[in-house]
Every structure is written in structure tokens, then in C-alpha cells.
Amino acid sequence: MPLDLFTVGDPIADTKAPTDVPIGERWSERKFRGRLVNPANRRKMTVIVVGTGLAGGSAAATLGEAGYKVKSFWYQDSPRRAHSVAAQGGINAAKNYRNDGDSVHRLFYDTVKGGDFRSRENNVHRLAEVSVNIIDQCVAQGVPFAREYGGLLDNRSFGGTQVSRTFYARGQTGQQLLYGAYQALERQMAAGNVEQHSRTEMLDLIVVDGRARGIVARDLVTGEISTHYADAVVLATGGYGNVFYLSTNAKGSNATAIWRAHKRGAYFANPCYTQIHPTCIPVHGEYQSKLTLMSESLRNDGRVWVPKERGDTRDPRDIPEDERDYYLERIYPSFGNLVPRDIASRQAKNVCDEGRGVGPNGLGVYLDFAEAIERLGRPAVEAKYGNLFDMYAQITGEDPYRTPMRIYPAVHYTMGGLWVDYDLQSTIPGMFVIGEANFSDHGANRLGASALMQGLADGYFVLPATITEYLADGPFEKIGDSHPAAVEAVQGVQAQIQKLLNINGTRSVASFHRELGKLMWDLCGMERSEESLRKALDRIPEIRQEFWTNVKVVGDWHSFNQNLEQAGRVADFIELAELMCVDALHRNESCGGHFRAESQTPEGEALRDDENFAYVAAWEWTPEGAPPVLHREDLEYEYVHLAQRSYK
Amino acid sequence: MRLTLRIWRQKDPSVKGTMVTYKLDDISPDMSFLEMLDVLNERLIMDGDDPVAFDHDCREGICGMCGVMINGKAHGGEHTTTCQLHMRSFKDGDTIDVEPWRASPFPVIKDLAVDRRAFDRIIQAGGYISVPTGTAPEAHSTPVPKKDSDAAFDAATCIGCGACVAACPNASSMLFTAAKVTHLGLLPQGQPERYDRVVNMVTQQDLEGFGGCTNIGECSASCPKGISMETISRLNHDLLGALRAGVKPKS
């Protein structure tokens, strides 16, 4: 690898997990060894939590309950809007309520394997342990999970597993889990334990003497730039899928908080690990603003197929059985339609590349429920998937009860994120990162129903337990607006805003975002190659250059200005996109969602290179002009043996 | 499609707003309503004009952030959110009026964006079950009859968009409050706080300035999630029980 793209720095290691005890005891041991903060001292300490999704909402509520002074920030009007609300399918937990051989160890094993051996064993085991507590907590909060006639909780199966361990609330599991956390959070706000900062966006991190001590934020209604100080800062700001412009993320989902923290010294880990979800509604036009997911749970009963012949434009209902190719069932007989997401997505791409795709632009495959409706009856299918079918009909104008759905992969989730240790602390002491914003648990591919599990594990149980070790040294010295670090951060934010408003060029923010997104989808999407990535790396600096000289942002800074908000976010996406391509280019292997054309098995499956790449790539930011610095964290597999993933 | 839009423009809460007319050509029937507004805003920005402010986020009908009055109907009157309304519901040459939610507890921030934090304060008054993290018993220790669980879920699907308030001639938030009272009141976990919850939430909605419920039903008819009027009966039932039991609001 040529050195002009990056330089190599010291290796990095996670030293917080107690590896001197067996894996099943490490989390308990960590909690025992970590120092605590007594209740009287907790009242003296402030924690900032940015974001109110499953991770941020649950963390802020739990820290408030514990007695800390919490300041909560979110960019929407209400904390209930956070994009966790849109998660459909479910949440995994190793309850083994189905008596089908599930266990904490099996969930741990499935998740490490599903992540294509690029996640940390210690973190994943902890996640599996904590999963059972999450279900208990949520049920007690009144989360209306699906139940059986006997009154007990129902489960279903999800991709990448052979047990039924997924708890769900029809197709709206994320919504119901989020409302549980949101209500707990509102309760703490009413109790005066959590300070509310609605419609407020974090724009920088304040670092004093090497510790994260506060944030600079902008009130999106008045435009006022304000500073907020604390003893610790928690980022729970979600993933960066909107780098691709079109994704299943919310329109407002952005990487600004994590990216600006990265520029303050937090390492960014595995940015190239993005998840392309196999079952989304296909793109239908240039003006399209976002893509909509159809829950993976549909693959439990829906069968994926394309015509055997290329260019077969018949109505799908007129294509006889023997002229259909149920390609997932054919290639992966034991997992069938329930292979992990990365595999299902790539195979959809393959059949479309062969010219067998369906729909107006040939970028789609069928997801067919005819057999399920015949087997279960329409009412049973409605009960399970009713809201998803309605949503599909609303968007496409087609009735999926009568004709097969058309689906295509879309960017959905980012496994990469800010590097954190076992305590979820970043490389900036005092800054913790939870949920999708960190990189920790999913390796190179996240299994279905594991994001909700991780968000709530981090927020309810892990962070509140690990942050005490850091806060035990607090409270830290008070700082105010006259501190040079605060002054510098505020001035930097103001200068950038002013610069964006002054350019007054000829292209809209959205046009840059669309161009960047298309470039990333084409060159750093489902399949990447050295050639495509080099092309992207040539082009992105040009886009950045043009953005900063030719973007047009209207209005002023001291008012409600959505155009200005978007401009700042797109500026960060452009920089992040470049790092994603550098990471993707340096990782000359295929693993999980990262598929390098140069590295595949004879059957076209992802071919890992464990000898050279069994590590986390943690990137250190360097000022423009200097290449980023790579710090490697070696991954060791003590309990799950490295193997070629097989779902055949 | 060619369309004439008449949109409420209001710079901020301190000034009066007015309807402004815009013409759009070349709108695809496959666009969502918000994508149509994106097209308009892109044009306004390139002309150096102020784009229309409107709230939106997930654009898949679940976050509850979007919501405008379209031809006098909340979310356009198709039992869906504004983001899921598609232009195929309109005809070529149509004139479309677009206004913000109109209710004094939802003050306009700018153009079509309003402040709905009053809803959060109603939740703060009692829309929760008090169960601090870590205190929960094993999930299967309390079976819940499926019919109760399903009915609780139906009520819990409320997305807090505010269409019910906007559609109600009294600007009542009864359906919103009743959905939460019903969701939690149907579950065994919600019983200990049931009476306090209803009294405190109803008190808060009065304090916020929402109007009283006169059972007109516009709320449910315009609810994108189909929350039923039955939830309001349940709220009234609980409220009577609570008052008879002598429960007093905390504030």
C-alpha cells in the first residue's frame, strides 16, 4: 500500500476487559473492579448526553435515575423522533423461551460469526449476557411486545441464525422500545434530573487538558451558539449512512458530532464497514430523498426470486414456478432466505448484474408472499406484517398481497464508528460513545435485530456501569466561557458558519450531497475495488474544493435556517467519505459488508485475509494535507475459532 | 404534473404570516409530498429566496416529525403522514393549500414548523411506568392476555405528530393523551400508577391550553395511525374512577 494515503502509527489496545478470567466472567469482574461513585457525589457531577435514540435516551434516563445531573441534547423537536423509532423487525435476546437450543454462548457465537470475525469477543459476549436484562426492563416499562395466546412473549427468527430469539412488536419494534426509553427520559426530566435541549445540534467538542469537558451547540430555532460543560460527554448520535445521500436513515441523521469529535482527537474505527440492507423499496426517481426499508423479518415468510431468463418482463404472477430462480434457497440450502444481510444483498446485486433484475430499471428482485398467504391465510400474514404491507402499498401504489414486492439493497447501518474501549470510552478521556455511533460490537456485518440490542445494552446497562470508573476521579475543575479551549471552539464554529454563508456560489447543498452519495454508492458501495476506490479518492477532494468555493447557502445564522444546518452536515460527510475510501482501500480483503472485488472465493463469497487484516483499523485525524494515521488493534479469537463463514 | 401551491409563510412567531403562491411544473406522481416541497425549496434557494421551513425527519411515516394541513386536512386526509402522502393523490393542475398545524399550544416557529413540546410535557406529567433501570423482574413472571397486549400496542402506535390537535375544532389533545393512558392502563405493569397518571396527564393538557373534548371525532378520522376514539372512552372511564377515589393532581 503506498504511503501517500496514510501513515502507520502505534498499535492500539483495549486494556479494560479483564482477560485473566474466563469470558463468561469478564463483565461481572469488570463491574466489580471498576470504582463506584457514591450517591452524594453523583449529585455533584454533570454528564452531557448527545442524542436521544435507544442508546442516548436510555443512557440519559439511567444516569438521571442514578443521581447524576444530566444534560440531554437532540436536534428534533422531541426526543421521541430519534431514528431508532424507525427500526422495524425486532430485538435479539438469549432468553431461550423457545427451548430451541439458544443460550448466551450461542448468541455470542452467532454474532461473532455474523460479524465475519472482525468484532471483539469480549464486547460481544457482554452484549449477549446483557440482552436478557433488556427484555425484562422493556416489558416492565410497558413495551407491548407480541405475545402468544397464553400471555407469554412471542419470538421469531431473523437472518444469520437458526434459533428464534427475536422479540418484536409487529413491524414497529424500534418505535415501541424507543418510547419506553423516551418515557423513562421524560420522567427524569420532570424530576429535574435531566436538563432539556430540544432542537439543539452539537457542533464541537471542548477538550481541556486532554479531557472532554463540554460541547459547543447551536440552537436551531434562534441560531444562538452556546457552550455546555460537564464532567463527561457521551455521544449517542447514530451512524453515518447518509454519506450515501440515499439511505434508510432519517433525513436529519448526520455524522457531525462524531466527525468533529474525531477532529478533536477521537480515533475513527473501521469507517468502511457499512451495511447494505437487502430488503428496501427500489429507487424510483432522481428527486428521491430517501429509501425505505422493508423489515428483514419479511424474509421469514417471503421468498426471494428472479426470473431464470434475462429480460423476462412478464407479470410475475404469469411466470411459472419452473421458470423462477429462488436463488437464495438454491445457493444456501440450509439458511435459504435467512442468510445474513451482506450475503443477501450481494446476491441480489449479482442477479441484477446478470440482467435478471426486475422492475422499471432492472434494479430489483421479487419478495413473494403468495406461498405464505396460501399456507397461513391472509389474516395471519396481515397480523404479522400488516403495517409493512401498507407502507409498501403507500409508497409504490402496488398491492403486495396480490403481486410480489420488489426490493433492492440500500444503505442501512454503519458498523464503523468512533473507536471505544471495553468501557465505551473513546481515545479522548471523558468522552464515551454508545450505540451505532461507536464501532464496537458488530464487526464487519451486523445481524438483524442486533442494533436495538446494542443500543439499549450500551445505554441501560453498560455505560452507566463503566462511566463510574472515570467519574470516580471527578468532579473536575470548573471551566467557563473564558477558558481558551472554549473560546477557540466557539470561534471555530462561528467562523465555519460565516464561511458557509459567505460563499454564495451557484450550487445547492443538496446537489453536492447527491453527487457525493452517488459517487460513494457506485465506487464504495456493495462492491469495492482498488480501481473504484482510487477513482473516488481522486474525485472527493475535488468535490470538497468545489463545495467550499461554490456552494450556495441562503439566509443568516441567527434564525431557523434548515439550509445552513444541512450545509454543515454535508461538509462533514464529504470529509468522512474520504476516510471511508482510504479505509476501504487499505483493507485489501473482503469481510462482511466490505466486499473487495479482488478478494473472493471461487464461488464469489467474501474471502477474508486473517493473516494480514484481523485487526480494527482505528484512524487518527490529521490536518488537511497530511494523510491520516492508522492505529491497529489486533483481534484475538479465544472462544470462536476463525473460519470461513458458511451458510450453505 | 403542474401544480399551484399556496403556502403559509411566516418568518418567525413575532410577525404575521400570509399565504404565498408558487407554481410548479414537472412534478412526478411518484414523488412524496415532501419531495415535491424539496423541489420547490431547491428552486427558491437557487433564486436566492428563503426556502419554506417544514419539519420532517424519517420520511417513512413513523417519527411523527412531519405534518402540515393540506387543503384544510391534517396530513392531507388520507390516513397517512405527510411524508407518506404521494403526489399521485393529486391531479394535474390542482391548487394545493399548505398550512401549519393551527393550535395555540403549538406556536409557529417558522412557516410550516410548529413547536409541539407541549406533548412531551403531557408525557412528563405521567405517561410512563416508574421502573428505574435494573429493577425489572423476569419478563415472563407476568403473563399478559394477548387481547390486552394487542390493544395496548394499537394505542401505543401513536407517533405524537399532532394531527389530532390540528384537526380538532377545539384543538383538544385528548386522543394523544388517551392513547398513552390506554396503552399503559391495559397492561398489568401500568396498574399501580393508573389513576395518578390519568389525573396528572389531563391536568397538564389543560394547563398547556388544549381545548376540551366534545367527541366530534375529527382526531381519530385524521390520525395516520388510526388511534381509536375508544381510547377516549377509556380515559374518561379511568378519570371518573380516579376522581371518585379522591386522586388529586400533583400540580
Side-chain angles (χ1 to χ4, degrees):
Chain A
M1 185 63 49
L3 284 175
D4 59 321
L5 285 173
F6 65 94
T7 58
V8 178
D10 295 335
I12 187 170
D14 170 35
T15 55
K16 301 280 180 62
T19 47
D20 52 332
V21 296
I23 196 155
E25 295 167 26
R26 286 176 192 166
W27 176 226
S28 302
E29 190 61 23
R30 176 66 196 146
K31 285 190 285 186
F32 180 69
R33 288 185 197 172
R35 290 173 295 165
L36 300 176
V37 178
N38 90 52
N41 285 346
R42 290 178 208 163
R43 289 195 288 273
K44 298 175 195 156
M45 283 193 266
T46 306
V47 180
I48 285 172
V49 181
V50 187
T52 59
L54 287 179
S58 61
T62 304
L63 293 170
E65 289 160 4
Y68 298 100
K69 284 193 280 186
V70 179
K71 296 179 179 182
S72 173
F73 295 80
W74 62 95
Y75 72 77
Q76 304 92 340
D77 64 340
S78 165
R80 70 185 296 154
R81 315 281 185 218
H83 199 54
S84 303
V85 79
Q88 297 170 355
I91 177 165
N92 288 328
K95 284 283 198 186
N96 193 29
Y97 283 164
R98 283 300 179 92
N99 195 28
D100 55 4
D102 200 8
S103 62
V104 165
H105 197 83
R106 188 173 297 281
L107 175 53
F108 158 67
Y109 174 88
D110 285 347
T111 307
V112 171
K113 178 186 169 197
D116 214 357
F117 304 92
R118 289 294 175 264
S119 52
R120 270 190 207 138
E121 280 192 336
N122 294 328
N123 288 54
V124 176
H125 199 279
R126 174 175 66 191
L127 180 66
E129 287 173 53
V130 167
S131 68
V132 296
N133 306 113
I134 296 171
I135 301 303
D136 298 342
Q137 183 65 32
C138 295
V139 166
Q141 287 172 340
V143 170
F145 283 121
R147 288 181 183 264
E148 308 265 22
Y149 283 101
L152 301 178
L153 294 160
D154 192 15
N155 290 125
R156 59 186 173 198
S157 53
F158 245 65
T161 68
Q162 290 173 311
V163 294
S164 290
R165 62 161 74 100
T166 304
F167 295 77
Y168 67 101
R170 227 166 288 171
Q172 287 157 255
T173 317
Q175 179 197 29
Q176 295 307 319
L177 294 173
L178 182 69
Y179 291 174
Y182 156 74
Q183 287 162 202
L185 176 61
E186 292 291 352
R187 177 170 162 260
Q188 290 307 303
M189 288 174 177
N193 298 331
V194 179
E195 195 178 288
Q196 315 168 37
H197 296 273
S198 155
R199 293 194 193 257
T200 307
E201 179 170 35
M202 169 180 163
L203 292 178
D204 206 353
L205 182 75
I206 299 172
V207 182
V208 176
D209 299 332
R211 290 180 192 271
R213 293 302 312 278
I215 63 170
V216 180
R218 179 167 179 270
D219 181 321
L220 300 179
V221 176
T222 64
E224 185 202 353
I225 306 287
S226 55
T227 48
H228 307 269
Y229 305 101
D231 296 287
V233 175
V234 180
L235 300 190
T237 54
Y240 49 91
N242 272 349
V243 163
F244 292 86
Y245 184 68
L246 286 180
S247 81
T248 65
N249 286 188
K251 283 299 283 177
S253 300
N254 67 82
T256 288
I258 57 172
W259 187 251
R260 297 194 184 177
H262 173 58
K263 291 169 90 166
R264 289 278 172 199
Y267 292 179
F268 206 119
N270 302 330
C272 78
Y273 290 169
T274 48
Q275 177 162 82
I276 316 276
H277 195 290
T279 51
C280 300
I281 300 177
V283 178
H284 55 74
E286 273 298 309
Y287 45 80
Q288 189 146 2
S289 61
K290 80 152 272 152
L291 295 171
T292 303
L293 177 81
M294 292 281 101
S295 168
E296 166 169 320
S297 63
L298 292 170
R299 288 197 275 143
N300 268 311
D301 288 304
R303 298 178 70 196
V304 178
W305 65 276
V306 290
K308 280 188 176 162
E309 291 300 317
R310 288 174 187 209
D312 187 338
T313 53
R314 282 178 288 176
D315 184 305
R317 287 167 292 185
D318 297 336
I319 300 179
E321 277 297 310
D322 61 349
E323 293 176 40
R324 300 175 175 192
D325 179 12
Y326 294 91
Y327 57 90
L328 290 176
E329 297 170 29
R330 171 173 59 81
I331 307 172
Y332 308 101
S334 70
F335 279 71
N337 292 298
L338 287 174
V339 290
R341 293 175 175 178
D342 53 334
I343 291 174
S345 291
R346 210 163 45 248
Q347 293 299 353
K349 179 182 187 302
N350 289 345
V351 295
C352 292
D353 287 351
E354 288 165 20
R356 297 194 288 145
V358 298
N361 52 12
L363 294 177
V365 300
Y366 290 125
L367 179 62
D368 197 337
F369 286 87
E371 193 249 6
I373 291 169
E374 199 177 302
R375 176 165 46 89
L376 304 166
R378 180 167 164 155
V381 172
E382 265 176 38
K384 265 178 155 169
Y385 308 114
N387 71 313
L388 300 171
F389 277 48
D390 292 348
M391 194 154 90
Y392 182 86
Q394 187 68 36
I395 293 171
T396 61
E398 291 173 14
D399 178 4
Y401 290 105
R402 294 163 50 84
T403 182
M405 287 183 180
R406 278 180 298 111
I407 53 164
Y408 197 66
V411 174
H412 178 55
Y413 187 88
T414 49
M415 282 75 69
L418 293 184
W419 186 91
V420 289
D421 62 17
Y422 189 67
D423 283 0
L424 304 181
Q425 186 167 221
S426 69
T427 50
I428 302 174
M431 190 182 88
F432 294 77
V433 191
I434 58 178
E436 190 180 349
N438 75 25
F439 88 105
S440 67
D441 295 358
H442 306 297
N445 173 58
R446 179 175 67 72
L447 290 181
S450 283
L452 303 187
M453 172 171 68
Q454 187 224 336
L456 289 180
D458 286 2
Y460 280 132
F461 297 107
V462 180
L463 174 92
T466 58
I467 200 171
T468 59
E469 164 67 22
Y470 179 79
L471 290 174
D473 288 328
F476 301 103
E477 193 192 340
K478 286 240 172 313
I479 49 170
D481 282 344
S482 57
H483 193 286
V487 172
E488 186 259 337
V490 169
Q491 284 173 349
V493 165
Q494 285 168 336
Q496 172 165 7
I497 288 173
Q498 211 49 59
K499 193 170 167 190
L500 286 167
L501 289 166
N502 287 348
I503 297 167
N504 198 22
T506 63
R507 279 185 66 183
S508 69
V509 174
S511 81
F512 281 102
H513 198 178
R514 272 194 295 268
E515 182 184 356
L516 179 74
K518 183 162 189 327
L519 173 122
M520 290 297 283
W521 177 253
D522 290 343
L523 303 178
C524 190
M526 261 189 287
E527 184 174 311
R528 300 111 184 236
S529 66
E530 176 162 358
E531 191 196 344
S532 74
L533 292 164
R534 288 202 176 276
K535 221 161 118 183
L537 284 168
D538 285 342
R539 181 66 192 133
I540 295 169
E542 293 168 9
I543 296 177
R544 189 176 59 204
Q545 167 71 18
E546 195 190 345
F547 178 88
W548 283 105
T549 51
N550 195 26
V551 74
K552 186 176 180 89
V553 183
V554 296
D556 51 43
W557 66 268
H558 49 82
S559 65
F560 189 61
N561 186 343
Q562 293 169 313
N563 192 215
L564 176 64
E565 292 166 26
Q566 206 47 40
R569 295 170 191 165
V570 172
D572 292 331
F573 282 140
I574 296 172
E575 295 182 9
L576 171 55
E578 193 169 351
L579 186 65
M580 288 167 70
C581 292
V582 170
D583 187 42
L585 181 56
H586 113 281
R587 189 169 283 279
N588 193 11
E589 65 158 352
S590 295
C591 55
H594 170 65
F595 191 82
R596 280 287 297 267
E598 299 91 339
S599 182
Q600 46 184 305
T601 65
E603 300 87 41
E605 303 290 350
L607 181 63
R608 291 198 320 269
D609 176 358
D610 294 326
E611 188 110 336
N612 292 304
F613 291 101
Y615 62 79
V616 174
W619 296 93
E620 179 186 350
W621 188 80
T622 46
E624 207 185 319
V629 183
L630 170 67
H631 300 271
R632 294 190 179 98
E633 178 201 336
D634 283 331
L635 290 168
E636 277 156 38
Y637 293 90
E638 249 181 289
Y639 293 87
V640 185
H641 296 296
L642 283 164
Q644 162 81 28
R645 272 193 316 173
S646 171
Y647 292 94
K648 297 216 168 181
Chain B
M1 295 168 75
R2 299 160 71 92
L3 298 169
T4 303
L5 296 170
R6 293 193 303 203
I7 301 180
W8 182 259
R9 302 303 311 262
Q10 181 174 353
K11 198 166 178 300
D12 60 55
S14 68
V15 298
K16 275 196 140 183
T18 179
M19 297 295 272
V20 177
T21 302
Y22 302 94
K23 300 249 184 223
L24 281 178
D25 307 325
D26 244 5
I27 294 299
S28 156
D30 285 333
M31 280 182 189
S32 71
F33 195 83
L34 298 184
E35 284 166 352
M36 182 272 295
L37 289 181
D38 289 343
V39 170
L40 171 66
N41 274 346
E42 190 86 348
R43 193 182 85 194
L44 291 174
I45 289 167
M46 291 325 292
D47 291 347
D49 292 334
D50 194 21
V52 179
F54 62 91
D55 273 329
H56 64 99
D57 205 24
C58 78
R59 295 203 177 194
E60 49 188 280
I62 196 74
C63 76
M65 186 84 173
C66 69
V68 291
M69 297 301 275
I70 300 166
N71 290 333
K73 291 193 168 153
H75 294 303
E78 286 201 1
H79 297 280
T80 188
T81 54
T82 303
C83 65
Q84 294 296 288
L85 181 68
H86 281 67
M87 297 315 291
R88 68 178 83 93
S89 299
F90 298 89
K91 289 193 299 289
D92 188 34
D94 273 0
T95 296
I96 307 173
D97 285 350
V98 191
E99 296 169 85
W101 288 165
R102 303 228 186 250
S104 57
F106 288 166
V108 170
I109 293 172
K110 183 180 178 183
D111 300 336
L112 305 173
V114 300
D115 180 3
R116 284 166 295 194
R117 288 284 283 153
F119 270 6
D120 291 331
R121 291 188 290 270
I122 294 174
I123 297 295
Q124 286 178 9
Y128 49 74
I129 291 170
S130 298
V131 51
T133 304
T135 58
E138 150 61 39
H140 267 179
S141 59
T142 311
V144 182
K146 183 169 164 53
K147 71 171 173 37
D148 291 344
S149 173
D150 285 351
F153 173 86
D154 287 339
T157 57
C158 165
I159 56 175
C161 63
C164 48
V165 173
C168 176
N170 307 332
S172 172
S173 59
M174 198 62 143
L175 193 69
F176 170 79
T177 306
K180 191 47 65 187
V181 165
T182 300
H183 160 209
L184 300 176
L186 278 168
L187 297 171
Q189 291 85 357
Q191 297 311 310
E193 295 165 296
R194 184 166 162 187
Y195 281 171
D196 289 318
R197 177 182 307 121
V198 68
V199 168
N200 287 316
M201 291 179 78
V202 168
T203 304
Q204 187 64 36
Q205 70 175 5
D206 290 346
L207 286 173
E208 296 289 346
F210 291 105
C213 172
T214 51
N215 286 309
I216 293 167
E218 282 287 338
C219 52
S220 185
S222 64
C223 175
K225 298 297 156 185
I227 304 293
S228 153
M229 288 282 284
E230 203 181 315
T231 60
I232 295 180
S233 309
R234 186 169 283 277
L235 180 148
N236 284 327
H237 174 270
D238 278 9
L239 186 60
L240 279 176
L243 295 175
R244 203 179 299 127
V247 175
K248 296 253 182 341
K250 60 187 171 204
S251 55

